Amino acid sequence: MDIFRKAPMTQKKSHLQRHLGLSELIFLGVGSIVGTGIFTITGTSAAEYAGPAITISIIIAAICVTMSALFFAEFSSRLPHSGGVYRYIYTVFGEYPAWIAGWFMIIEFLGAISTAASGWGEYFKAFLQTFGISLPKALSGPFNPANGTYIDIVPVLLLLFVTILVLRGSKTALRFNSVLVVCKIAVLILFIALGLTAINVDNWSNFAPYGFGQLYGGKTGIMAGATLMFFAFLGFESICMAADETKDPQKKVPQGIFISIGLVTLLYVLFTLVLTGTVNYTKLNITDVVPFVLRSIGFPLAGNFVSVVVILTLVTVCISMMYALSRIIYNISCDGLLPVQFQKVSATSKVPNNATIFVGIVTMIFAGILPIELLALLVNIVTLAYLILLALGVIQLRRVHGEPKEGEFRTPFVPVLPILSIIICLSLMTQCGTEAWIGFFISFVLGTIIYFVYGYRHSKIGNGQVDD
């Protein structure tokens, strides 16, 4: 039984249409990254984990993400094919490790899409309540008959809209996404500009009330805050999923990754400094932290305006990640590890229809019926796990296939930088709670069962088939 059979280094032929440029990749990346994390968990992170030093947590998380981005960039320039970490690991380590990486990516994106939709639903329902409008209790929460709730209908309707939009084609979906990303960035800039007028340096006097924390196994402090804020950077890898639809992907994909992360990191640092400089960190343990701070410093109209814009712009996370996840499933299916039905591409819009519909249905179920917090706990830990595989993959790529050629991106300081990335990722993983680790091992076992029951037997490489 050969579970380490490798995909060839040569690029596979794509049946998708190449029409995306650098600007659209940047909007895709920023749209995926900036969302639920920065608008909802920064207040909790500051109040319960790191205090004003949440800015340092942001920088640590950004360093971790940037190192992984270097590895993504080298792989995407040497193997400019959609599929992300799954495709890269398939090339250097073989099929089973690649499937596990792809499986973790599927879990990450399912959790992120569902969590974003649920967060959007909470903002929207709170907004309706300001006008005295409330939904029937049975339709306003996940399945819990004892509590009188059976389905959270608002995120379900949102995901239905997003699914229809993504099915219309990547160009249409990403243009709509780009408009909302501009609005989202404008809100962050507005918050920073208004907040700078009300900075009280006394709020920073106890800058790190919880200390640095522990490198391994900590529960509070800067390092624990970094683990939580890592969630705010998830989604940058969605750019790699668009390689099959990008013009000149060897150059444009790495550029899109770095510009997106750089822009987001700058905004996050300024955002958290203003957040903790205007209101004492002990008062920030709320979900709608941005409107709260603006109202607290004397800008109630701006706070109400931001609430509306955040409701609209959180949609971009769902669009970007649903777009990316459908491409992940499409690529895995093309290799035979998932059913062939997911390979179907629309003749007109060149969209993987069945994969997109599947993602839409599953995320609607998760967001509408399940207690999504349990799934969200998995997102960080499975992402960190496959980023460790990515770091190991760069070392193996150099060992097996040599140095990058002229014109290809070169990750500096290999193998020192990948080893450092692995250490940081392991440190962040140990900050996760017991529930996350239990979910991680359950998902690993379930993914392994799926591979041996279906994937191994239907693998195209294993059956000697060549994908045309």
Side-chain angles (χ1 to χ4, degrees):
M1 177 177 284
D2 184 9
I3 63 173
F4 298 105
R5 49 201 179 200
K6 297 180 176 63
M9 185 68 176
T10 55
Q11 184 180 352
K12 293 173 62 180
K13 180 181 179 181
S14 172
H15 299 282
L16 305 179
Q17 183 180 0
R18 293 191 183 275
H19 52 76
L20 302 180
L22 178 61
S23 62
E24 287 155 322
L25 291 181
I26 293 171
F27 279 116
L28 174 63
V30 174
S32 297
I33 299 169
V34 180
T36 310
I38 196 65
F39 286 123
T40 60
I41 68 173
T42 46
T44 301
S45 300
E48 297 187 350
Y49 288 85
I54 192 65
T55 302
I56 308 300
S57 299
I58 284 281
I59 293 172
I60 293 173
I63 291 171
C64 178
V65 169
T66 300
M67 285 193 289
S68 296
L70 290 171
F71 313 146
F72 269 107
E74 177 163 332
F75 268 113
S76 64
S77 69
R78 301 182 69 176
L79 185 64
H81 181 74
S82 185
V85 176
Y86 160 76
R87 174 60 51 198
Y88 308 150
I89 299 302
Y90 210 155
T91 302
V92 296
F93 284 132
E95 190 170 270
Y96 174 66
W99 162 255
I100 291 298
W103 175 246
F104 283 164
M105 291 172 70
I106 291 172
I107 294 173
E108 174 205 356
F109 278 77
L110 285 175
I113 294 168
S114 303
T115 303
S118 296
W120 181 89
E122 292 304 314
Y123 263 86
F124 186 73
K125 285 182 287 187
F127 178 72
L128 290 179
Q129 287 176 357
T130 62
F131 299 97
I133 301 173
S134 297
L135 295 175
K137 189 173 183 180
L139 303 178
S140 60
F143 185 77
N144 187 355
N147 193 40
T149 58
Y150 292 88
I151 185 171
D152 196 355
I153 195 65
V154 174
V156 171
L157 294 176
L158 169 67
L159 290 171
L160 177 61
F161 165 75
V162 170
T163 303
I164 294 171
L165 182 65
V166 174
L167 283 171
R168 290 182 60 85
S170 58
K171 198 74 172 180
T172 300
L174 296 185
R175 279 178 176 172
F176 181 76
N177 180 69
S178 297
V179 172
L180 294 183
V181 169
V182 170
C183 296
K184 186 158 46 178
I185 298 302
V187 162
L188 288 176
I189 293 174
L190 174 66
F191 173 79
I192 293 168
L194 295 178
L196 286 173
T197 67
I199 292 291
N200 179 0
V201 294
D202 290 339
N203 289 324
W204 293 330
S205 59
N206 189 11
F207 191 73
Y210 300 98
F212 182 78
Q214 300 176 8
L215 285 176
Y216 291 92
K219 302 300 179 185
T220 60
I222 291 173
M223 286 302 297
T227 299
L228 196 58
M229 292 314 302
F230 181 78
F231 182 83
F233 283 94
L234 298 185
F236 74 94
E237 64 270 45
S238 62
I239 295 175
C240 296
M241 313 309 162
D244 280 355
E245 295 161 274
T246 301
K247 303 172 185 175
D248 194 13
Q250 287 180 303
K251 294 181 180 179
K252 295 296 190 295
V253 170
Q255 291 172 356
I257 291 172
F258 289 120
I259 294 174
S260 298
I261 293 176
L263 176 61
V264 168
T265 301
L266 175 62
L267 287 173
Y268 281 7
V269 168
L270 294 174
F271 175 87
T272 51
L273 284 173
V274 169
L275 185 74
T276 56
T278 51
V279 175
N280 190 275
Y281 74 92
T282 58
K283 301 177 181 178
L284 296 176
N285 191 18
I286 52 177
T287 53
D288 58 339
V289 66
V290 178
F292 168 77
V293 169
L294 289 174
R295 295 183 187 115
S296 299
I297 62 178
F299 297 101
L301 291 179
N304 293 335
F305 170 74
V306 166
S307 292
V308 175
V309 175
V310 168
I311 289 171
L312 292 174
T313 56
L314 282 180
V315 179
T316 62
V317 179
C318 299
I319 294 173
S320 301
M321 290 199 165
M322 184 175 291
Y323 168 88
L325 180 53
S326 63
R327 272 62 181 174
I328 295 171
I329 293 173
Y330 166 81
N331 273 275
I332 295 176
S333 174
C334 287
D335 293 324
L337 304 186
L338 285 174
V340 67
Q341 288 79 7
F342 292 130
Q343 297 178 37
K344 183 178 179 181
V345 176
S346 168
T348 53
S349 61
K350 299 299 181 182
V351 169
N353 280 352
N354 289 346
T356 302
I357 293 171
F358 173 79
V359 172
I361 292 173
V362 174
T363 53
M364 279 188 267
I365 293 172
F366 285 160
I369 297 177
L370 300 180
I372 201 62
E373 294 82 2
L374 297 177
L375 183 62
L377 286 171
L378 281 175
V379 173
N380 277 9
I381 196 168
V382 297
T383 304
L384 288 164
Y386 77 66
L387 290 183
I388 289 174
L389 286 175
L390 179 70
L392 292 171
V394 168
I395 299 174
Q396 180 73 355
L397 177 68
R398 293 284 186 91
R399 189 181 73 83
V400 176
H401 298 284
E403 297 292 317
K405 299 177 182 177
E406 184 178 354
E408 295 177 340
F409 185 87
R410 176 187 297 271
T411 300
F413 309 118
V414 175
V416 175
L417 200 63
I419 293 173
L420 179 60
S421 175
I422 293 169
I423 293 172
I424 294 176
C425 286
L426 286 172
S427 172
L428 296 181
M429 287 178 73
T430 64
Q431 314 290 324
C432 296
T434 303
E435 297 88 350
W437 277 101
I438 292 173
F440 173 78
F441 285 115
I442 291 174
S443 63
F444 175 79
V445 171
L446 180 59
T448 298
I449 292 172
I450 293 173
Y451 172 74
F452 285 106
V453 170
Y454 183 89
Y456 182 83
R457 293 167 49 239
H458 293 84
S459 167
K460 288 189 175 182
I461 290 179
N463 292 323
Q465 299 176 15
V466 178
D467 186 9
D468 59 359

